Amino acid sequence: MNTIASRRPLTLHGLWLRLKAIAAWLGFGWGHNLRLADTYRLGSSKVRVPLDSGPIEISLGMNDKRLHLYPEMRLNERGKAVRNGNFVIIDPSAHPGRIGGFLRLTPKSWVSLGSADGLQQAVFDYPAAVDDEHLVVIHSRDALVFRNLSDTGAAIGPAVVADITAARGSRFRRLREVLGGPIGLLPAAAALELIQEVNRLMREDAYRPRSDLGTPGGLLLLPRTVTPILVADMHGQVDNLLTVLSQNAFLDAIEDGRAALVILGDAVHSEVDGQLREMQSSMLLMDLIFRLKQRFPRQVFYVRGNHDSFSEDIAKDGIPQGLLWAKELSDQRGTVYLRAMEEFYRLLPYVVSSDDFVACHAAAPKAEVSLPMLVNIHRHPELILELINNRLRRPNRPQGYSRGDVKRLRRSLQLDKHTPFIVGHTPMDREGTLWLNVDGITNHHVLFSAHPDHVAVFTRVDGVLVPLVYPVDAVSAIINGLEDDDCQVVRRSSRAGRDAGRE
């Protein structure tokens, strides 16, 4: 996980530590292999631990900070945990009921643990005894490699970690209860009643200054007291949304009013090869989003994207997805439902902002904008088109947005010049889900939350906006395999826990 927080300037000593870290990465000194049976104090040589070792506890300094490193798992349709080849590093002392972060080690990658990294400092809350560059951990082809860089030293040993699968199981049960039962398409009458209720809620949407029409305007101003959970472009990938909601403490924070799920458009229209005409997953995903909005109207928001339309211009590889979407809804749920979906689209905001980020679906405007313009965006159709359709400037796209446009948008919203700007719409390749500092523009990030194997999210941890990536679990199958009686038990225990917390 790359940092998006600013780093402290390196001192001469810090530069020397960085050079030592690079030397460790380049492999100077072979070190020795180690099977962990007890705590091992690291010296000046590299130590190699086999990849099939159990969870590892890392101690920085003289036990000044302890971290846990263990294999990352993906849950299949039967709920069985399967290794995916990555490792994660977490802070075991972090409060389980609060949104937190972690570091990921993918094959052939490395991380330098230390307090010089602002994101690590926010996620792990390093004490003063942890050096700027304290310990290098490398995920090599056949081993985890540890190289101490600190005079205060570091140690590794076997770790006892909580049963993560069991913890996820309780979240799946709670999520099933929140969503009203098994994951599946609603009957036509129930779907119509739901979307009409959502549209009524949207006319009174929270955190949106009123336009001159008396309706919520095109700008969503999220208070700093509400932690954002940002995803974008899920394109019918139901399990991607369910994975996010069942990870971390996201659902707890939404239920308690501490966080808000913000979807940056394009929840519909599959982008998987061979599935571009399929619309059932889009209908199901919108049903789930509407259920969430109905249950948590002040904690779930949807920002409009270009695919949130029935336009004939919405097409991929020559397939008119916009028209197919309209036909599917009309055939399955009737013309009244189709009109209700059109109304939902008209009621959506186009930009979401807080004091530490700004986001929209596609692009920064190429001209000066203001808060009143965004609020009264119905007066500015050309601005709408830019926010949901434009892309980065390229030689074949001279009308695309650039670094200067991002800077101007921040300035127009009276934000700091380093404020993260987050968009979806334009994945940089077919393998990723998250790209940081895109096009060399500092704190300009792209989210694409529709990859079938992993899903990206931005959230706030200890006052710092952080990117997180989760393996996509087969959550819909797992939830549908649960019994209602189990969910009732989780509901009672969840309520008891929240009541106890308020006493």
Side-chain angles (χ1 to χ4, degrees), residues 376-435:
N376 291 292
I377 201 165
H378 61 279
R379 294 180 177 178
H380 307 281
E382 73 291 344
L383 177 57
I384 289 176
L385 289 175
E386 281 195 280
L387 291 170
I388 68 174
N389 278 302
N390 205 2
R391 302 181 193 269
L392 273 165
R393 181 182 297 170
R394 291 289 183 266
N396 64 343
R397 197 188 305 132
Q399 296 305 311
Y401 74 96
S402 64
R403 182 193 309 267
D405 302 317
V406 175
K407 289 182 177 179
R408 184 170 53 251
L409 176 62
R410 291 166 174 155
R411 187 170 60 248
S412 298
L413 296 177
Q414 300 176 359
L415 297 171
D416 181 83
K417 64 180 180 180
H418 299 301
T419 300
F421 172 56
I422 301 164
V423 295
H425 190 54
T426 311
M428 298 295 103
D429 55 61
R430 292 178 62 90
E431 303 303 320
T433 180
L434 167 72
W435 299 266

Side-chain angles (χ1 to χ4, degrees), residues 162-183:
D163 187 345
I164 298 169
T165 304
R168 291 294 302 286
S170 67
R171 296 190 187 119
F172 296 146
R173 293 180 178 87
R174 180 61 185 153
L175 187 54
R176 174 175 161 136
E177 194 277 330
V178 164
L179 293 172
I183 306 301

Side-chain angles (χ1 to χ4, degrees), residues 319-460:
I319 295 173
Q321 290 182 309
L323 295 179
L324 290 175
W325 178 225
K327 183 178 186 303
E328 185 78 12
L329 291 181
S330 181
D331 290 348
Q332 297 297 320
R333 293 179 170 175
T335 56
V336 176
Y337 187 92
L338 183 67
R339 289 196 296 271
M341 186 67 79
E342 288 179 321
E343 181 181 6
F344 171 74
Y345 290 153
R346 287 194 296 270
L347 290 168
L348 291 174
Y350 291 84
V351 175
V352 55
S353 181
S354 189
D355 65 358
D356 63 344
F357 78 91
V358 58
C360 62
H361 174 67
K366 291 184 58 56
E368 192 78 33
V369 296
S370 64
L371 289 174
M373 286 177 64
L374 292 173
V375 172
N376 291 292
I377 201 165
H378 61 279
R379 294 180 177 178
H380 307 281
E382 73 291 344
L383 177 57
I384 289 176
L385 289 175
E386 281 195 280
L387 291 170
I388 68 174
N389 278 302
N390 205 2
R391 302 181 193 269
L392 273 165
R393 181 182 297 170
R394 291 289 183 266
N396 64 343
R397 197 188 305 132
Q399 296 305 311
Y401 74 96
S402 64
R403 182 193 309 267
D405 302 317
V406 175
K407 289 182 177 179
R408 184 170 53 251
L409 176 62
R410 291 166 174 155
R411 187 170 60 248
S412 298
L413 296 177
Q414 300 176 359
L415 297 171
D416 181 83
K417 64 180 180 180
H418 299 301
T419 300
F421 172 56
I422 301 164
V423 295
H425 190 54
T426 311
M428 298 295 103
D429 55 61
R430 292 178 62 90
E431 303 303 320
T433 180
L434 167 72
W435 299 266
L436 302 178
N437 303 310
V438 173
D439 232 34
I441 305 173
T442 302
N443 282 329
H444 166 238
H445 314 306
V446 175
L447 272 175
F448 181 75
S449 302
H451 195 286
D453 295 328
H454 41 256
V455 56
V457 58
F458 269 94
T459 191
R460 189 186 293 127

Side-chain angles (χ1 to χ4, degrees), residues 122 207 221-228 257-260 353-357 415-416 419-420 459-465:
Y207 310 131
L221 291 173
L222 206 62
R224 181 57 184 252
T225 54
V226 177
T227 298
R258 294 179 285 119
S353 181
S354 189
D355 65 358
D356 63 344
F357 78 91
L415 297 171
D416 181 83
T419 300
T459 191
R460 189 186 293 127
V461 178
D462 194 28
V464 176
L465 204 68

